Structure formats: structure tokens, C-alpha cells
Amino acid sequence: MLGTLMYAPGQVKVEDVAEPSLLKPTDAIIKLAASCICGSDLWPYRGHGDFAQPMSMGHEYCGVVVAVGEAVCTVKPGQFVVGSFCLSDNTCPHCQYGFQSSCEQREFMSGAQAELARVPLADGTLVALEAHPPADLIPSLLAASDVLGTGWYAADAARVQPGSTVVVVGDGAVGLMGVLSARQMGATRIIAMSRHKQRQELALEFGATDIIAERGEDGIAAVKALTRHVGADAVLECVGTQQSMAQALACARPGSMIGYVGVPHGVEFDGQQLFFGQKGMLGGPAPVRRFLPDLLALIETRKINPGRVFDLELPLADAAAGYRAMDSREAIKVLLRT
Amino acid sequence: MLGTLMYAPGQVKVEDVAEPSLLKPTDAIIKLAASCICGSDLWPYRGHGDFAQPMSMGHEYCGVVVAVGEAVCTVKPGQFVVGSFCLSDNTCPHCQYGFQSSCEQREFMSGAQAELARVPLADGTLVALEAHPPADLIPSLLAASDVLGTGWYAADAARVQPGSTVVVVGDGAVGLMGVLSARQMGATRIIAMSRHKQRQELALEFGATDIIAERGEDGIAAVKALTRHVGADAVLECVGTQQSMAQALACARPGSMIGYVGVPHGVEFDGQQLFFGQKGMLGGPAPVRRFLPDLLALIETRKINPGRVFDLELPLADAAAGYRAMDSREAIKVLLRT
């Protein structure tokens, strides 16, 4: 079958690879309905951090179960499933507390930019749909696996409430999903920070009420001007750089929370600055499994359409072109047809 | 009148100073019922940070109003009042949001280790009692001004809930007030980290269910052993050093909040560590004004007795001896009779 491997920064190849097999009794094998490329795949692509080479790429997935290990009891072959990029048992104390992304058995999914994938901890990770979905819902269901669930977590961690004024830092796919999530949670003012016309338009479609194209001091001043110089009730940080985090901190009103979901790269916080600014923070890999049942219901009833975030579709065989398109920001997010 | 001045680290003198006068129409002058020394007074005493010399000491206060500026309308001469160490107008958006300690007009109280003190922003800062309190309640009312309100804020920021398991890092007066506060909020397990017998006993009196004398790795292991290796639902950090913050972070379960109220000195956070640990944080100077009406009611009805935290009483004239006793940890907190 075809699978996607990263050999070095900038070097992605789709090759004929061995089909996955059940390695543990808690595994499932799924046939992917579609796959996609994540903004976080760009960190190693751009040379940030070390990785074992070649690395089997892809952690977002949905599709049909083709085999399950003998211990798996909540999903069975033939069912259509969506799972989280964080693999969890969904029974340990952290899972029960709603933080499946800190599961005692946590693993991160890999190898999903392929035709078939092995999903460890299938019972605690996968959610089965009642019936196979119509084809046009596949992009949205795929988005639920990570990018939507992550944007949702950012809004949840930032404690977005009905009536909140929200700032979203980052106009990548996760930031756009943060806009959608804040809207669903009842935010009445959603300020998207974006300088790209196409992303601005999508942000508005997802529920943004204001767009700020400026960054840095100008961006902060623009947020302050829109919020009576108070700052936002909730800030979603969806990038992960020192600059984006500084922007988030400066836009947050005292006592508010910053939900940060961009994996921090070189980000440091000064204790006294956080203290005297009274900026609250909660972040981390999203516990997508907590949100999945609700997100799937919103998608199946067509109340939300997160699949709109995919603006380029390519055959799996052309994954390398997809990485190039996202790296150059020509594409927001690339769906790979499997 | 007598007032307390710090001339240099370690050099505190009580001298005859000019009586305070109304400088702004929003000021009040109060005659202190008592004053006290705060743990945070020990930072400059121990040479941390620069300060204008001499510095007029004391930010915790309660007493009788003797004069008010012409704009003051919520308190009047003759009333017994308690105020926050953070001065606030209580009308700006930050105050209305419950974060009076980030008031647009925020100032910090000073000069309260004296016989009389000027309280700026009197309307937004002071809360008047219905009647003059009995003398035995003075220590508790004085505690509400900072140390109780700060411990309460730590528990509030850490989102202590009925049934929570709470860890309190720091056995100073604020940490002990954090224990009391967590108990009032319904925590069922309160683990106080303390190695001093007298403080351990007071923690137990205030509601601690467990005492851990170990620190560092041993302390973390002890907390883990008490919490099924899960960690605490809420952690109160009441010291402000890198070591105490590391302890707090290690004791907090993923998804929990750390309420940190020790002014951070040299504390840095690594973004990736916070992210992958999923440790939430909210801290800062306590918005005591938000809590004051409730705290005063709890004290006046004798439901809580935070005044127990004072274990040494001295005449104001002996304030220097009080600083020495707290610096050497012979006293938890010193009350100064005015």
C-alpha cells in the first residue's frame, strides 16, 4: 500500500510500504476514508526538532474498521470510525477527568497518511458512527480528528462563554477551527488576527466578527481599540511561537484565560510578567476524545462544516506537493484522497 | 505619630513621622486598629529587588475612619473599615470583572505599619462594617486585608471545588490561609506541605487532612502516593520561588489549575513543559476587594478564625523585632499593636 515518509526536513516521499497489522490485542486496523496534512507536520518539515528517520507521517484519520484485536469490544469491522490524534485508553484517571491527551497510556498516532493505518488503544480512542456517512461529510469528520478538536479545546481551555469577546491568534487551520468553536460556544465578538485574504474570508464564514491584519504592537493596539482598551475575555493561541504567545498575552484582559494549542517552540514565560498581568493559561495537546461525540453530532446534523478548512485536495500519491503547498502557505490545509 | 521605615535590607526603624493628610478628594485617613508584617515585606528586607529608600512599610490594615476627601461617599468618619492591600476604584472594567488587583487606577497600599494611614481610592477599596467589632475579632479582620484574601484567591484561581483534592505549597501565613480557604470551598482532601511542627499544627487546625514534610522529589513522590499517582485537582502555590513552583507543577494533575500568589522571584516557565504537562495557571496580586464582603461576614459570624495565624504580638514601636522574628521564621506572622 502507499504510505508517506519524511526522510529529512523538506523531504517527503510516498512509497509502497508494508500494510499495518495488529500488534497488540487492543489495536484496530482502519481503511482510511481520507487523510490530510497537519500544520504540526510542518515543524519537522521546516527542520524544528529531531526525529527518527524515516518518520511515518499522518495522525488525522477516519475510515472503516477492517480488523480488531481480540481485546477490542467497542468497535468492529465494517463500522465507520473517527479517532483522536492522541491515543488513549479512556479509562485511566486522567481520561476520566476529561484529559485523554494526558492518558497514562498516551501515544500519538502516526502513519495515517496512508491507505491503511493501525490505531492502538482502539476502544479508548475511536468513536463509531451509527451508519456510514455521506461522502460530502468525510472532510468534516476528518477535521474532527485533530484540527477541529484542537480548536475546540483552545476555546474550552480559554473558557469561552456566551457573550464572550474572543481573540484568535493564528489563521492556520486550527485558528480557523477556533473561530468556529468560539462561535458555537456563544461568543458574540470574535476577533481573528489574519493578514491573508482567503483566510480572513473563511474566518468570517466560520463566525469571526472582526478581522485584524496588523501584528505586533499595531495588532495589540487594534485589539485594544476594539475592546474599549480592556482586552479580550478569552484568547486562543494557535501558533506556538514566542511572538504569537506575546500577542496572545497582550490581548488578554486580566483574569482571562489563554487556551494555547500551538506546540510551543522556544517559548518561555517570565513569572513576574504573568503574575502582574494576571493572565491565566491552559494548553497542551487537545483531549479530542472528550469532545468527539458532540463534534460528530454537530457534523452529522450539518450544524457545522469544518471540512471547509480544506482548500486543496490531492491524491495520496502527491502528498509531497501537499507539504510544499502548506509550507508556502498557498494552501490552508491539504486533504489527501486515499 | 509612629511609622515604620525600611532604610536598607535588614534595616527597619520605627520613627516619629508626619501624620498623613488627605492628598486627593478620593482619599480617606484611618486610625489603625492594628497593623502587621507581611511575608512580602521580607523580600526587600532580604535584599531582593530595589526600592526607594526609605520605604514606608505596611499594606495591611483595618480601623476607624477619621477623615475623608470630598469625593468619598461610601464611608464616613467613625466607621470601622477593612480594605485591600491593592487599592482600586471598583468601577473600571477590570474591577467589574472581579480583578480589582488589575484596576486601571491600581496602586499598592503603603504606610500602614503606623498609627494613622492614608487610603487612596477609599470608595473602591474600603468596606465598612455595620458596627465596631469586638476587640477579639481585630486580628481576623486585619488578616482579611491581605493574607486571608490572598489565600482565598489562590484557592479561587486554582478552582477548588467541593470534593477537590488540594495541595498547598508553602506554610507561611498565606499558605495557611490557603488551607482555610480550600476547606471553606469544600475540598475534602487538603495536603499541606510543611516541615515546621507549629505550622503543621495550625494547618491541621485550619482544615488540612494530610501533612507532607518532604520537599523536592521526595515531596512530589509523597503527594503522588496520596493521590493514587494522579496528582492534585488544584494546587495553591504560596511561595514564589522556582523551587516551589516546580513543586506545584509536579503535584498538579493534567488539566488542573495552579493558583499562584507568591510573588515570583526569578521564576521562569518553559512553554513545552507546561504544554505537555497540561498544567493550567492563574496568579497575581489577589483581588481581595472581590472577596472582602464574604470574608468579613464569615469572620463576624465566627465561622472562620484567620486571626489565629498571628503568633506574635508586639507594640508598633518594636516592629524591627517583628521583622527579625519573621525573617528567622520564629514567627509565622507578627501583629503590631498601634
Side-chain angles (χ1 to χ4, degrees):
Chain A
M1 68 162 195
L2 292 181
T4 306
L5 299 169
M6 189 181 292
Y7 282 88
Q11 287 183 36
V12 169
K13 293 181 186 173
V14 178
E15 297 178 359
D16 194 42
V17 298
E19 290 193 2
S21 56
L22 297 169
L23 300 181
K24 290 188 179 174
T26 47
D27 289 348
I29 307 294
I30 66 167
K31 182 175 190 319
L32 287 135
S35 187
C36 58
I37 302 169
C38 182
S40 68
D41 294 332
L42 297 180
W43 289 112
Y45 189 83
R46 290 169 175 167
H48 297 279
D50 297 324
F51 57 89
Q53 296 165 0
M55 176 162 60
S56 188
M57 302 303 293
H59 54 263
E60 301 165 278
Y61 57 98
C62 64
V64 176
V65 178
V66 294
V68 297
E70 60 191 20
V72 174
C73 57
T74 65
V75 297
K76 57 189 178 186
Q79 284 186 315
F80 190 97
V81 294
V82 185
S84 164
F85 73 100
C86 271
L87 309 163
S88 60
D89 61 24
N90 212 22
T91 58
C92 80
H94 301 320
C95 287
Q96 293 295 304
Y97 198 62
F99 283 81
Q100 289 90 344
S101 44
S102 285
C103 174
E104 288 176 351
Q105 302 195 59
R106 175 178 75 186
E107 294 179 48
F108 290 100
M109 183 68 180
S110 64
Q113 288 164 9
E115 293 175 81
L116 296 164
R118 182 175 79 94
V119 183
L121 299 170
D123 270 343
T125 299
L126 297 172
V127 176
L129 270 59
E130 290 285 316
H132 283 222
D136 69 320
L137 287 188
I138 297 295
S140 287
L141 294 167
L142 181 60
S145 180
D146 178 351
V147 71
L148 170 61
T150 296
W152 196 273
Y153 173 57
D156 183 80
R159 299 208 162 78
V160 174
Q161 308 285 333
S164 289
T165 292
V166 178
V167 165
V168 180
V169 178
D171 64 358
V174 169
L176 293 167
M177 295 291 99
V179 169
L180 179 154
S181 303
R183 178 59 174 266
Q184 284 295 310
M185 294 179 191
T188 46
R189 187 152 208 178
I190 302 171
I191 302 166
M193 308 202 75
S194 171
R195 53 171 63 177
H196 301 85
K197 187 160 185 304
Q198 190 204 354
R199 292 162 192 249
Q200 292 174 350
E201 286 169 3
L202 205 47
L204 292 168
E205 182 182 322
F206 283 141
T209 55
D210 301 88
I211 301 287
I212 292 179
E214 293 83 1
R215 290 188 188 183
E217 290 304 319
D218 291 344
I220 294 162
V223 168
K224 289 292 174 72
L226 284 178
T227 58
R228 300 179 302 140
H229 293 273
V230 170
D233 303 326
V235 176
L236 284 51
E237 197 291 314
C238 306
V239 182
T241 63
Q242 187 79 43
Q243 190 182 26
S244 62
M245 189 60 84
Q247 186 98 43
L249 285 165
C251 293
R253 71 184 298 170
S256 69
M257 290 290 293
I258 297 164
Y260 60 108
V261 294
V263 181
H265 282 73
V267 176
E268 298 273 335
F269 301 103
D270 174 68
Q272 268 199 13
Q273 193 186 337
L274 277 186
F275 182 87
F276 285 104
Q278 302 206 282
K279 308 299 170 80
M281 310 198 54
L282 178 61
V288 175
R289 181 63 184 81
R290 186 200 331 166
F291 309 122
L292 265 185
D294 289 343
L295 298 180
L296 300 184
L298 288 169
I299 291 166
E300 288 192 281
T301 55
R302 297 183 186 272
K303 292 205 174 80
I304 59 173
N305 187 8
R308 286 278 290 126
V309 80
F310 294 106
D311 58 344
L312 179 60
E313 262 192 56
L314 294 172
L316 172 61
D318 294 340
Y323 276 80
R324 285 193 296 274
M326 281 178 62
D327 180 41
S328 64
R329 289 181 73 87
E330 285 165 50
I332 299 173
K333 192 167 176 73
V334 175
L335 185 139
L336 301 170
R337 290 192 301 270
T338 52
Chain B
M1 68 163 195
L2 291 181
T4 307
L5 298 168
M6 189 180 293
Y7 283 88
Q11 287 183 36
V12 169
K13 293 183 186 172
V14 179
E15 298 180 358
D16 194 43
V17 299
E19 290 194 1
S21 56
L22 297 169
L23 300 181
K24 290 187 180 176
T26 46
D27 288 351
I29 306 294
I30 65 167
K31 182 175 190 316
L32 287 134
S35 187
C36 58
I37 302 169
C38 181
S40 68
D41 293 332
L42 296 180
W43 290 111
Y45 189 82
R46 290 170 175 165
H48 297 278
D50 296 327
F51 58 90
Q53 296 165 356
M55 177 163 58
S56 188
M57 302 303 294
H59 54 262
E60 301 165 277
Y61 58 99
C62 64
V64 176
V65 178
V66 294
V68 297
E70 60 191 20
V72 174
C73 56
T74 65
V75 296
K76 58 189 178 187
Q79 284 186 314
F80 191 97
V81 294
V82 185
S84 164
F85 72 101
C86 271
L87 309 163
S88 59
D89 62 24
N90 212 24
T91 58
C92 82
H94 302 319
C95 286
Q96 293 296 304
Y97 199 62
F99 283 81
Q100 289 90 344
S101 44
S102 284
C103 174
E104 289 175 351
Q105 302 195 60
R106 174 178 75 187
E107 294 179 50
F108 290 100
M109 183 68 181
S110 65
Q113 288 164 10
E115 294 175 80
L116 296 164
R118 182 176 79 94
V119 184
L121 299 171
D123 270 343
T125 299
L126 297 172
V127 176
L129 270 60
E130 291 286 315
H132 283 223
D136 68 321
L137 287 188
I138 298 294
S140 287
L141 293 167
L142 180 61
S145 180
D146 178 350
V147 72
L148 170 61
T150 295
W152 196 273
Y153 173 56
D156 183 80
R159 297 205 164 79
V160 173
Q161 308 285 332
S164 289
T165 292
V166 178
V167 166
V168 180
V169 178
D171 64 359
V174 170
L176 293 166
M177 294 292 98
V179 169
L180 179 155
S181 303
R183 178 60 175 266
Q184 284 295 310
M185 295 179 191
T188 45
R189 187 153 209 178
I190 302 171
I191 302 166
M193 308 200 74
S194 171
R195 52 171 64 176
H196 300 84
K197 187 160 186 303
Q198 190 203 356
R199 292 161 192 249
Q200 292 173 349
E201 286 169 4
L202 205 46
L204 291 168
E205 181 181 323
F206 283 141
T209 55
D210 301 88
I211 302 286
I212 292 179
E214 293 84 1
R215 290 189 188 181
E217 291 304 320
D218 291 344
I220 294 162
V223 168
K224 289 292 174 69
L226 284 178
T227 59
R228 299 179 302 142
H229 293 274
V230 169
D233 303 327
V235 176
L236 283 52
E237 196 291 312
C238 306
V239 182
T241 63
Q242 187 79 42
Q243 190 183 26
S244 63
M245 190 60 86
Q247 186 100 41
L249 285 165
C251 293
R253 70 183 299 169
S256 69
M257 291 292 291
I258 297 164
Y260 61 107
V261 294
V263 181
H265 282 74
V267 176
E268 298 272 334
F269 300 102
D270 175 69
Q272 269 199 13
Q273 193 187 337
L274 277 186
F275 182 88
F276 285 104
Q278 302 206 282
K279 308 298 170 81
M281 309 197 55
L282 178 61
V288 174
R289 181 62 184 79
R290 187 199 330 165
F291 309 122
L292 264 185
D294 290 343
L295 298 180
L296 300 184
L298 288 169
I299 291 165
E300 288 193 280
T301 55
R302 299 182 185 272
K303 293 205 173 79
I304 59 175
N305 187 7
R308 285 279 291 127
V309 79
F310 294 105
D311 59 343
L312 179 61
E313 262 193 56
L314 294 172
L316 173 60
D318 294 340
Y323 277 80
R324 285 194 297 273
M326 281 179 62
D327 179 43
S328 63
R329 290 180 72 86
E330 285 164 52
I332 299 173
K333 192 166 177 73
V334 175
L335 185 138
L336 300 171
R337 289 192 302 270
T338 52

